[in-house]
Amino acid sequence: MFALDVQQLTKTYRGGFQALKGIDLQVDEGDFFALLGPNGAGKSTFIGIVSSLVNKTTGQVRVFGNDQDADPEAVKSCIGLVPQEFNFNLFLPVIEVVLNQAGYYGIPRHEAKIRAERYLRQLDLWDRRNQEMRRLSGGMKRRLMIARALVHQPRLLILDEPTAGVDIEIRRSMWSFLRDLNAEGTTIILTTHYLEEAESLCRNIAIINQGRIAERTSISALLNKL
Ligand code: ADP
Ligand code: ADP
């Protein structure tokens, strides 16, 4: 089964700009997949649609066999999204950011607390659990967004430019966390414009440019060509 199966996906924004021009893309269950492309290529639009935050114009999105139009709730429950921007809830304590997200998915409070502790410890944020989110550094906020995205234990984790602007040490620790998560069975798709990040983490890659998939290959095949 594919973790993600996208057919003929298009997106035209209000005002008429066509950000996606017919995307076909399949990602295998268990894959660690990179969507690489320059700014404005359509990466955020693509993952916004897959994560049900942006409406598509035409096409079909299936996540672990669930059709997004027929069963939107099943699709949402399979996906955890780590967005690029997070300027919400800045006055909320770190742990509440995770617990609120658990509430959104209807996870009982006692179970939510167990998971929040597990992920905040793994991501080195447990000592900060009572601090307001606005007190965190950029790298800490991103790690918090990962904990938040994992609280409903999604089978597919999608990250939008997860390490942009994060210093090298924190980046390495995030990479190692994501590698372990993938090894335990979570399918991961990330967007990046660093080839180095894709190279270090991912098995397969699609290059997106001007709303189209320019290339879909394995990292090793891509590196052999360069
Ligand atoms: P990327 O994530 O690859 O940088 P985006 O998906 O953010 O690309 O954007 C793709 C194109 O769509 C860009 O030209 C961008 O300006 C445009 N775009 C993004 N969001 C909107 C919007 N809400 N309304 C109109 N155009 C948009
Ligand atoms: P609703 O449509 O039920 O009002 P929203 O779309 O406003 O829900 O989302 C509520 C919160 O959940 C927001 O913080 C949003 O970013 C987040 N969210 C929505 N879909 C997902 C998802 N698939 N993964 C992670 N967070 C999500």
Side-chain angles (χ1 to χ4, degrees), residues 39-76:
N39 276 330
K43 302 183 296 297
S44 296
T45 300
F46 179 80
I47 66 175
I49 291 171
V50 171
S51 308
S52 307
L53 301 175
V54 175
N55 291 320
K56 61 182 175 262
T57 303
T58 61
Q60 189 176 46
V61 175
R62 279 207 204 86
V63 180
F64 294 102
N66 303 293
D67 185 283
Q68 194 179 44
D69 296 323
D71 200 348
E73 292 309 313
V75 167
K76 282 186 196 173

PDB file of all heavy atoms in Angstrom, residues 39-76:
ATOM      1  N   ASN A  39      12.303  28.045  -3.809  1.00  0.00           N
ATOM      2  CA  ASN A  39      11.197  28.820  -3.254  1.00  0.00           C
ATOM      3  C   ASN A  39      10.156  29.097  -4.322  1.00  0.00           C
ATOM      4  O   ASN A  39      10.487  29.435  -5.449  1.00  0.00           O
ATOM      5  CB  ASN A  39      11.709  30.165  -2.717  1.00  0.00           C
ATOM      6  CG  ASN A  39      12.249  30.016  -1.310  1.00  0.00           C
ATOM      7  OD1 ASN A  39      11.776  29.165  -0.548  1.00  0.00           O
ATOM      8  ND2 ASN A  39      13.242  30.809  -0.973  1.00  0.00           N
ATOM      9  N   GLY A  40       8.893  28.918  -3.950  1.00  0.00           N
ATOM     10  CA  GLY A  40       7.806  29.201  -4.876  1.00  0.00           C
ATOM     11  C   GLY A  40       7.450  28.040  -5.779  1.00  0.00           C
ATOM     12  O   GLY A  40       6.547  28.152  -6.621  1.00  0.00           O
ATOM     13  N   ALA A  41       8.133  26.889  -5.617  1.00  0.00           N
ATOM     14  CA  ALA A  41       7.903  25.744  -6.508  1.00  0.00           C
ATOM     15  C   ALA A  41       6.533  25.105  -6.305  1.00  0.00           C
ATOM     16  O   ALA A  41       5.997  24.467  -7.210  1.00  0.00           O
ATOM     17  CB  ALA A  41       8.988  24.691  -6.291  1.00  0.00           C
ATOM     18  N   GLY A  42       5.975  25.254  -5.093  1.00  0.00           N
ATOM     19  CA  GLY A  42       4.679  24.642  -4.793  1.00  0.00           C
ATOM     20  C   GLY A  42       4.737  23.609  -3.676  1.00  0.00           C
ATOM     21  O   GLY A  42       3.751  22.923  -3.406  1.00  0.00           O
ATOM     22  N   LYS A  43       5.874  23.513  -2.982  1.00  0.00           N
ATOM     23  CA  LYS A  43       6.039  22.498  -1.933  1.00  0.00           C
ATOM     24  C   LYS A  43       5.041  22.691  -0.792  1.00  0.00           C
ATOM     25  O   LYS A  43       4.376  21.739  -0.378  1.00  0.00           O
ATOM     26  CB  LYS A  43       7.482  22.549  -1.366  1.00  0.00           C
ATOM     27  CG  LYS A  43       8.567  22.339  -2.407  1.00  0.00           C
ATOM     28  CD  LYS A  43       9.960  22.327  -1.785  1.00  0.00           C
ATOM     29  CE  LYS A  43      10.404  23.634  -1.134  1.00  0.00           C
ATOM     30  NZ  LYS A  43      10.524  24.784  -2.058  1.00  0.00           N
ATOM     31  N   SER A  44       4.937  23.912  -0.288  1.00  0.00           N
ATOM     32  CA  SER A  44       4.027  24.155   0.846  1.00  0.00           C
ATOM     33  C   SER A  44       2.576  23.973   0.426  1.00  0.00           C
ATOM     34  O   SER A  44       1.756  23.476   1.211  1.00  0.00           O
ATOM     35  CB  SER A  44       4.210  25.567   1.407  1.00  0.00           C
ATOM     36  OG  SER A  44       5.494  25.700   1.941  1.00  0.00           O
ATOM     37  N   THR A  45       2.267  24.367  -0.783  1.00  0.00           N
ATOM     38  CA  THR A  45       0.912  24.162  -1.298  1.00  0.00           C
ATOM     39  C   THR A  45       0.599  22.666  -1.330  1.00  0.00           C
ATOM     40  O   THR A  45      -0.467  22.229  -0.878  1.00  0.00           O
ATOM     41  CB  THR A  45       0.784  24.756  -2.718  1.00  0.00           C
ATOM     42  OG1 THR A  45       1.076  26.158  -2.650  1.00  0.00           O
ATOM     43  CG2 THR A  45      -0.610  24.539  -3.285  1.00  0.00           C
ATOM     44  N   PHE A  46       1.539  21.892  -1.827  1.00  0.00           N
ATOM     45  CA  PHE A  46       1.345  20.445  -1.935  1.00  0.00           C
ATOM     46  C   PHE A  46       1.100  19.821  -0.557  1.00  0.00           C
ATOM     47  O   PHE A  46       0.118  19.102  -0.352  1.00  0.00           O
ATOM     48  CB  PHE A  46       2.571  19.807  -2.605  1.00  0.00           C
ATOM     49  CG  PHE A  46       2.483  18.320  -2.728  1.00  0.00           C
ATOM     50  CD1 PHE A  46       1.746  17.738  -3.751  1.00  0.00           C
ATOM     51  CD2 PHE A  46       3.117  17.497  -1.810  1.00  0.00           C
ATOM     52  CE1 PHE A  46       1.644  16.354  -3.859  1.00  0.00           C
ATOM     53  CE2 PHE A  46       3.021  16.108  -1.906  1.00  0.00           C
ATOM     54  CZ  PHE A  46       2.282  15.546  -2.926  1.00  0.00           C
ATOM     55  N   ILE A  47       1.972  20.126   0.401  1.00  0.00           N
ATOM     56  CA  ILE A  47       1.778  19.477   1.698  1.00  0.00           C
ATOM     57  C   ILE A  47       0.593  20.079   2.450  1.00  0.00           C
ATOM     58  O   ILE A  47      -0.030  19.395   3.244  1.00  0.00           O
ATOM     59  CB  ILE A  47       3.063  19.432   2.547  1.00  0.00           C
ATOM     60  CG1 ILE A  47       3.490  20.798   2.948  1.00  0.00           C
ATOM     61  CG2 ILE A  47       4.168  18.667   1.859  1.00  0.00           C
ATOM     62  CD1 ILE A  47       4.674  20.724   3.879  1.00  0.00           C
ATOM     63  N   GLY A  48       0.270  21.337   2.155  1.00  0.00           N
ATOM     64  CA  GLY A  48      -0.945  21.929   2.736  1.00  0.00           C
ATOM     65  C   GLY A  48      -2.184  21.168   2.292  1.00  0.00           C
ATOM     66  O   GLY A  48      -3.091  20.897   3.087  1.00  0.00           O
ATOM     67  N   ILE A  49      -2.232  20.798   1.023  1.00  0.00           N
ATOM     68  CA  ILE A  49      -3.382  20.045   0.506  1.00  0.00           C
ATOM     69  C   ILE A  49      -3.418  18.653   1.125  1.00  0.00           C
ATOM     70  O   ILE A  49      -4.452  18.209   1.629  1.00  0.00           O
ATOM     71  CB  ILE A  49      -3.334  19.973  -1.038  1.00  0.00           C
ATOM     72  CG1 ILE A  49      -3.586  21.365  -1.629  1.00  0.00           C
ATOM     73  CG2 ILE A  49      -4.365  18.963  -1.563  1.00  0.00           C
ATOM     74  CD1 ILE A  49      -3.350  21.470  -3.122  1.00  0.00           C
ATOM     75  N   VAL A  50      -2.271  17.976   1.129  1.00  0.00           N
ATOM     76  CA  VAL A  50      -2.235  16.618   1.690  1.00  0.00           C
ATOM     77  C   VAL A  50      -2.658  16.632   3.167  1.00  0.00           C
ATOM     78  O   VAL A  50      -3.359  15.738   3.632  1.00  0.00           O
ATOM     79  CB  VAL A  50      -0.830  15.998   1.500  1.00  0.00           C
ATOM     80  CG1 VAL A  50      -0.703  14.686   2.250  1.00  0.00           C
ATOM     81  CG2 VAL A  50      -0.533  15.794   0.006  1.00  0.00           C
ATOM     82  N   SER A  51      -2.291  17.702   3.891  1.00  0.00           N
ATOM     83  CA  SER A  51      -2.612  17.806   5.323  1.00  0.00           C
ATOM     84  C   SER A  51      -3.984  18.418   5.588  1.00  0.00           C
ATOM     85  O   SER A  51      -4.294  18.742   6.731  1.00  0.00           O
ATOM     86  CB  SER A  51      -1.576  18.672   6.030  1.00  0.00           C
ATOM     87  OG  SER A  51      -0.291  18.222   5.753  1.00  0.00           O
ATOM     88  N   SER A  52      -4.763  18.624   4.553  1.00  0.00           N
ATOM     89  CA  SER A  52      -6.143  19.133   4.692  1.00  0.00           C
ATOM     90  C   SER A  52      -6.203  20.575   5.195  1.00  0.00           C
ATOM     91  O   SER A  52      -7.225  20.995   5.737  1.00  0.00           O
ATOM     92  CB  SER A  52      -6.980  18.255   5.636  1.00  0.00           C
ATOM     93  OG  SER A  52      -6.932  16.913   5.246  1.00  0.00           O
ATOM     94  N   LEU A  53      -5.140  21.341   5.041  1.00  0.00           N
ATOM     95  CA  LEU A  53      -5.165  22.746   5.455  1.00  0.00           C
ATOM     96  C   LEU A  53      -5.475  23.672   4.284  1.00  0.00           C
ATOM     97  O   LEU A  53      -5.870  24.812   4.482  1.00  0.00           O
ATOM     98  CB  LEU A  53      -3.819  23.149   6.077  1.00  0.00           C
ATOM     99  CG  LEU A  53      -3.389  22.355   7.312  1.00  0.00           C
ATOM    100  CD1 LEU A  53      -1.999  22.765   7.771  1.00  0.00           C
ATOM    101  CD2 LEU A  53      -4.400  22.519   8.439  1.00  0.00           C
ATOM    102  N   VAL A  54      -5.266  23.180   3.068  1.00  0.00           N
ATOM    103  CA  VAL A  54      -5.500  23.957   1.853  1.00  0.00           C
ATOM    104  C   VAL A  54      -6.423  23.126   0.963  1.00  0.00           C
ATOM    105  O   VAL A  54      -6.245  21.905   0.868  1.00  0.00           O
ATOM    106  CB  VAL A  54      -4.157  24.226   1.112  1.00  0.00           C
ATOM    107  CG1 VAL A  54      -4.376  24.916  -0.222  1.00  0.00           C
ATOM    108  CG2 VAL A  54      -3.197  25.037   1.994  1.00  0.00           C
ATOM    109  N   ASN A  55      -7.415  23.752   0.361  1.00  0.00           N
ATOM    110  CA  ASN A  55      -8.305  23.014  -0.541  1.00  0.00           C
ATOM    111  C   ASN A  55      -7.651  22.830  -1.896  1.00  0.00           C
ATOM    112  O   ASN A  55      -7.073  23.764  -2.451  1.00  0.00           O
ATOM    113  CB  ASN A  55      -9.623  23.771  -0.729  1.00  0.00           C
ATOM    114  CG  ASN A  55     -10.447  23.769   0.537  1.00  0.00           C
ATOM    115  OD1 ASN A  55     -10.523  22.766   1.244  1.00  0.00           O
ATOM    116  ND2 ASN A  55     -11.047  24.899   0.845  1.00  0.00           N
ATOM    117  N   LYS A  56      -7.779  21.616  -2.440  1.00  0.00           N
ATOM    118  CA  LYS A  56      -7.262  21.398  -3.786  1.00  0.00           C
ATOM    119  C   LYS A  56      -8.258  21.949  -4.805  1.00  0.00           C
ATOM    120  O   LYS A  56      -9.421  22.189  -4.474  1.00  0.00           O
ATOM    121  CB  LYS A  56      -7.012  19.917  -4.025  1.00  0.00           C
ATOM    122  CG  LYS A  56      -8.258  19.048  -3.921  1.00  0.00           C
ATOM    123  CD  LYS A  56      -7.868  17.583  -4.140  1.00  0.00           C
ATOM    124  CE  LYS A  56      -9.080  16.683  -3.927  1.00  0.00           C
ATOM    125  NZ  LYS A  56      -9.109  16.091  -2.603  1.00  0.00           N
ATOM    126  N   THR A  57      -7.804  22.120  -6.027  1.00  0.00           N
ATOM    127  CA  THR A  57      -8.710  22.533  -7.101  1.00  0.00           C
ATOM    128  C   THR A  57      -9.259  21.289  -7.792  1.00  0.00           C
ATOM    129  O   THR A  57     -10.474  21.113  -7.843  1.00  0.00           O
ATOM    130  CB  THR A  57      -7.987  23.470  -8.092  1.00  0.00           C
ATOM    131  OG1 THR A  57      -7.489  24.589  -7.356  1.00  0.00           O
ATOM    132  CG2 THR A  57      -8.938  23.972  -9.172  1.00  0.00           C
ATOM    133  N   THR A  58      -8.386  20.423  -8.307  1.00  0.00           N
ATOM    134  CA  THR A  58      -8.819  19.130  -8.854  1.00  0.00           C
ATOM    135  C   THR A  58      -7.800  18.066  -8.484  1.00  0.00           C
ATOM    136  O   THR A  58      -6.672  18.377  -8.092  1.00  0.00           O
ATOM    137  CB  THR A  58      -8.923  19.156 -10.407  1.00  0.00           C
ATOM    138  OG1 THR A  58      -7.621  19.443 -10.940  1.00  0.00           O
ATOM    139  CG2 THR A  58      -9.906  20.207 -10.901  1.00  0.00           C
ATOM    140  N   GLY A  59      -8.202  16.813  -8.664  1.00  0.00           N
ATOM    141  CA  GLY A  59      -7.283  15.699  -8.430  1.00  0.00           C
ATOM    142  C   GLY A  59      -7.711  14.866  -7.239  1.00  0.00           C
ATOM    143  O   GLY A  59      -8.743  15.107  -6.623  1.00  0.00           O
ATOM    144  N   GLN A  60      -6.868  13.865  -6.950  1.00  0.00           N
ATOM    145  CA  GLN A  60      -7.209  12.896  -5.925  1.00  0.00           C
ATOM    146  C   GLN A  60      -6.023  12.699  -4.973  1.00  0.00           C
ATOM    147  O   GLN A  60      -4.883  12.595  -5.412  1.00  0.00           O
ATOM    148  CB  GLN A  60      -7.541  11.568  -6.595  1.00  0.00           C
ATOM    149  CG  GLN A  60      -8.118  10.550  -5.659  1.00  0.00           C
ATOM    150  CD  GLN A  60      -8.509   9.289  -6.412  1.00  0.00           C
ATOM    151  OE1 GLN A  60      -7.739   8.792  -7.235  1.00  0.00           O
ATOM    152  NE2 GLN A  60      -9.696   8.773  -6.118  1.00  0.00           N
ATOM    153  N   VAL A  61      -6.333  12.642  -3.686  1.00  0.00           N
ATOM    154  CA  VAL A  61      -5.313  12.386  -2.663  1.00  0.00           C
ATOM    155  C   VAL A  61      -5.757  11.187  -1.842  1.00  0.00           C
ATOM    156  O   VAL A  61      -6.862  11.187  -1.291  1.00  0.00           O
ATOM    157  CB  VAL A  61      -5.141  13.610  -1.729  1.00  0.00           C
ATOM    158  CG1 VAL A  61      -4.162  13.287  -0.600  1.00  0.00           C
ATOM    159  CG2 VAL A  61      -4.671  14.833  -2.506  1.00  0.00           C
ATOM    160  N   ARG A  62      -4.919  10.154  -1.790  1.00  0.00           N
ATOM    161  CA  ARG A  62      -5.197   8.999  -0.929  1.00  0.00           C
ATOM    162  C   ARG A  62      -4.046   8.821   0.049  1.00  0.00           C
ATOM    163  O   ARG A  62      -2.882   8.875  -0.345  1.00  0.00           O
ATOM    164  CB  ARG A  62      -5.307   7.714  -1.751  1.00  0.00           C
ATOM    165  CG  ARG A  62      -6.653   7.542  -2.391  1.00  0.00           C
ATOM    166  CD  ARG A  62      -6.949   6.054  -2.598  1.00  0.00           C
ATOM    167  NE  ARG A  62      -7.917   5.905  -3.671  1.00  0.00           N
ATOM    168  CZ  ARG A  62      -7.599   5.837  -4.956  1.00  0.00           C
ATOM    169  NH1 ARG A  62      -6.322   5.826  -5.323  1.00  0.00           N
ATOM    170  NH2 ARG A  62      -8.531   5.737  -5.860  1.00  0.00           N
ATOM    171  N   VAL A  63      -4.388   8.575   1.302  1.00  0.00           N
ATOM    172  CA  VAL A  63      -3.387   8.372   2.356  1.00  0.00           C
ATOM    173  C   VAL A  63      -3.675   7.021   2.996  1.00  0.00           C
ATOM    174  O   VAL A  63      -4.767   6.815   3.541  1.00  0.00           O
ATOM    175  CB  VAL A  63      -3.446   9.524   3.385  1.00  0.00           C
ATOM    176  CG1 VAL A  63      -2.416   9.309   4.482  1.00  0.00           C
ATOM    177  CG2 VAL A  63      -3.216  10.870   2.701  1.00  0.00           C
ATOM    178  N   PHE A  64      -2.728   6.098   2.888  1.00  0.00           N
ATOM    179  CA  PHE A  64      -2.927   4.715   3.340  1.00  0.00           C
ATOM    180  C   PHE A  64      -4.286   4.176   2.862  1.00  0.00           C
ATOM    181  O   PHE A  64      -5.037   3.587   3.648  1.00  0.00           O
ATOM    182  CB  PHE A  64      -2.794   4.614   4.869  1.00  0.00           C
ATOM    183  CG  PHE A  64      -1.406   4.912   5.356  1.00  0.00           C
ATOM    184  CD1 PHE A  64      -1.101   6.136   5.925  1.00  0.00           C
ATOM    185  CD2 PHE A  64      -0.389   3.980   5.211  1.00  0.00           C
ATOM    186  CE1 PHE A  64       0.197   6.420   6.353  1.00  0.00           C
ATOM    187  CE2 PHE A  64       0.911   4.256   5.644  1.00  0.00           C
ATOM    188  CZ  PHE A  64       1.196   5.474   6.209  1.00  0.00           C
ATOM    189  N   GLY A  65      -4.573   4.434   1.612  1.00  0.00           N
ATOM    190  CA  GLY A  65      -5.786   3.885   1.012  1.00  0.00           C
ATOM    191  C   GLY A  65      -7.047   4.701   1.258  1.00  0.00           C
ATOM    192  O   GLY A  65      -8.083   4.431   0.654  1.00  0.00           O
ATOM    193  N   ASN A  66      -6.989   5.695   2.150  1.00  0.00           N
ATOM    194  CA  ASN A  66      -8.175   6.513   2.436  1.00  0.00           C
ATOM    195  C   ASN A  66      -8.241   7.697   1.477  1.00  0.00           C
ATOM    196  O   ASN A  66      -7.274   8.461   1.363  1.00  0.00           O
ATOM    197  CB  ASN A  66      -8.131   7.053   3.867  1.00  0.00           C
ATOM    198  CG  ASN A  66      -8.016   5.950   4.896  1.00  0.00           C
ATOM    199  OD1 ASN A  66      -8.935   5.160   5.064  1.00  0.00           O
ATOM    200  ND2 ASN A  66      -6.869   5.876   5.565  1.00  0.00           N
ATOM    201  N   ASP A  67      -9.381   7.854   0.829  1.00  0.00           N
ATOM    202  CA  ASP A  67      -9.567   8.976  -0.082  1.00  0.00           C
ATOM    203  C   ASP A  67      -9.920  10.239   0.712  1.00  0.00           C
ATOM    204  O   ASP A  67     -10.804  10.218   1.563  1.00  0.00           O
ATOM    205  CB  ASP A  67     -10.673   8.637  -1.073  1.00  0.00           C
ATOM    206  CG  ASP A  67     -10.835   9.726  -2.114  1.00  0.00           C
ATOM    207  OD1 ASP A  67     -11.435  10.783  -1.802  1.00  0.00           O
ATOM    208  OD2 ASP A  67     -10.345   9.535  -3.232  1.00  0.00           O
ATOM    209  N   GLN A  68      -9.209  11.319   0.413  1.00  0.00           N
ATOM    210  CA  GLN A  68      -9.410  12.554   1.174  1.00  0.00           C
ATOM    211  C   GLN A  68     -10.820  13.122   1.026  1.00  0.00           C
ATOM    212  O   GLN A  68     -11.339  13.720   1.977  1.00  0.00           O
ATOM    213  CB  GLN A  68      -8.386  13.590   0.691  1.00  0.00           C
ATOM    214  CG  GLN A  68      -8.245  14.790   1.602  1.00  0.00           C
ATOM    215  CD  GLN A  68      -7.203  15.755   1.065  1.00  0.00           C
ATOM    216  OE1 GLN A  68      -7.150  16.059  -0.120  1.00  0.00           O
ATOM    217  NE2 GLN A  68      -6.356  16.245   1.953  1.00  0.00           N
ATOM    218  N   ASP A  69     -11.440  12.959  -0.115  1.00  0.00           N
ATOM    219  CA  ASP A  69     -12.802  13.482  -0.296  1.00  0.00           C
ATOM    220  C   ASP A  69     -13.831  12.589   0.378  1.00  0.00           C
ATOM    221  O   ASP A  69     -14.788  13.067   0.973  1.00  0.00           O
ATOM    222  CB  ASP A  69     -13.136  13.602  -1.790  1.00  0.00           C
ATOM    223  CG  ASP A  69     -12.238  14.621  -2.468  1.00  0.00           C
ATOM    224  OD1 ASP A  69     -11.927  15.637  -1.822  1.00  0.00           O
ATOM    225  OD2 ASP A  69     -11.832  14.380  -3.617  1.00  0.00           O
ATOM    226  N   ALA A  70     -13.625  11.259   0.262  1.00  0.00           N
ATOM    227  CA  ALA A  70     -14.610  10.322   0.808  1.00  0.00           C
ATOM    228  C   ALA A  70     -14.503  10.216   2.326  1.00  0.00           C
ATOM    229  O   ALA A  70     -15.518  10.069   3.012  1.00  0.00           O
ATOM    230  CB  ALA A  70     -14.409   8.942   0.171  1.00  0.00           C
ATOM    231  N   ASP A  71     -13.283  10.283   2.858  1.00  0.00           N
ATOM    232  CA  ASP A  71     -13.096  10.064   4.297  1.00  0.00           C
ATOM    233  C   ASP A  71     -12.022  11.001   4.863  1.00  0.00           C
ATOM    234  O   ASP A  71     -10.936  10.578   5.245  1.00  0.00           O
ATOM    235  CB  ASP A  71     -12.716   8.597   4.547  1.00  0.00           C
ATOM    236  CG  ASP A  71     -12.971   8.189   5.994  1.00  0.00           C
ATOM    237  OD1 ASP A  71     -13.214   9.089   6.833  1.00  0.00           O
ATOM    238  OD2 ASP A  71     -12.904   6.987   6.281  1.00  0.00           O
ATOM    239  N   PRO A  72     -12.367  12.308   4.919  1.00  0.00           N
ATOM    240  CA  PRO A  72     -11.363  13.290   5.347  1.00  0.00           C
ATOM    241  C   PRO A  72     -10.835  13.044   6.760  1.00  0.00           C
ATOM    242  O   PRO A  72      -9.651  13.272   7.028  1.00  0.00           O
ATOM    243  CB  PRO A  72     -12.093  14.634   5.270  1.00  0.00           C
ATOM    244  CG  PRO A  72     -13.549  14.311   5.161  1.00  0.00           C
ATOM    245  CD  PRO A  72     -13.647  12.943   4.554  1.00  0.00           C
ATOM    246  N   GLU A  73     -11.690  12.535   7.648  1.00  0.00           N
ATOM    247  CA  GLU A  73     -11.233  12.321   9.031  1.00  0.00           C
ATOM    248  C   GLU A  73     -10.188  11.208   9.096  1.00  0.00           C
ATOM    249  O   GLU A  73      -9.230  11.296   9.860  1.00  0.00           O
ATOM    250  CB  GLU A  73     -12.412  12.007   9.961  1.00  0.00           C
ATOM    251  CG  GLU A  73     -13.364  13.191  10.166  1.00  0.00           C
ATOM    252  CD  GLU A  73     -12.635  14.482  10.564  1.00  0.00           C
ATOM    253  OE1 GLU A  73     -11.769  14.432  11.457  1.00  0.00           O
ATOM    254  OE2 GLU A  73     -12.920  15.533   9.958  1.00  0.00           O
ATOM    255  N   ALA A  74     -10.378  10.149   8.295  1.00  0.00           N
ATOM    256  CA  ALA A  74      -9.394   9.053   8.278  1.00  0.00           C
ATOM    257  C   ALA A  74      -8.048   9.578   7.786  1.00  0.00           C
ATOM    258  O   ALA A  74      -6.990   9.216   8.329  1.00  0.00           O
ATOM    259  CB  ALA A  74      -9.888   7.918   7.385  1.00  0.00           C
ATOM    260  N   VAL A  75      -8.095  10.445   6.775  1.00  0.00           N
ATOM    261  CA  VAL A  75      -6.841  11.002   6.252  1.00  0.00           C
ATOM    262  C   VAL A  75      -6.166  11.864   7.308  1.00  0.00           C
ATOM    263  O   VAL A  75      -4.968  11.727   7.567  1.00  0.00           O
ATOM    264  CB  VAL A  75      -7.119  11.792   4.946  1.00  0.00           C
ATOM    265  CG1 VAL A  75      -5.914  12.642   4.564  1.00  0.00           C
ATOM    266  CG2 VAL A  75      -7.473  10.824   3.826  1.00  0.00           C
ATOM    267  N   LYS A  76      -6.937  12.728   7.975  1.00  0.00           N
ATOM    268  CA  LYS A  76      -6.338  13.599   9.003  1.00  0.00           C
ATOM    269  C   LYS A  76      -5.725  12.784  10.137  1.00  0.00           C
ATOM    270  O   LYS A  76      -4.694  13.160  10.695  1.00  0.00           O
ATOM    271  CB  LYS A  76      -7.398  14.546   9.587  1.00  0.00           C
ATOM    272  CG  LYS A  76      -7.719  15.718   8.685  1.00  0.00           C
ATOM    273  CD  LYS A  76      -8.664  16.689   9.400  1.00  0.00           C
ATOM    274  CE  LYS A  76      -9.314  17.639   8.404  1.00  0.00           C
ATOM    275  NZ  LYS A  76     -10.343  18.481   9.009  1.00  0.00           N
TER     276      LYS A  76
END
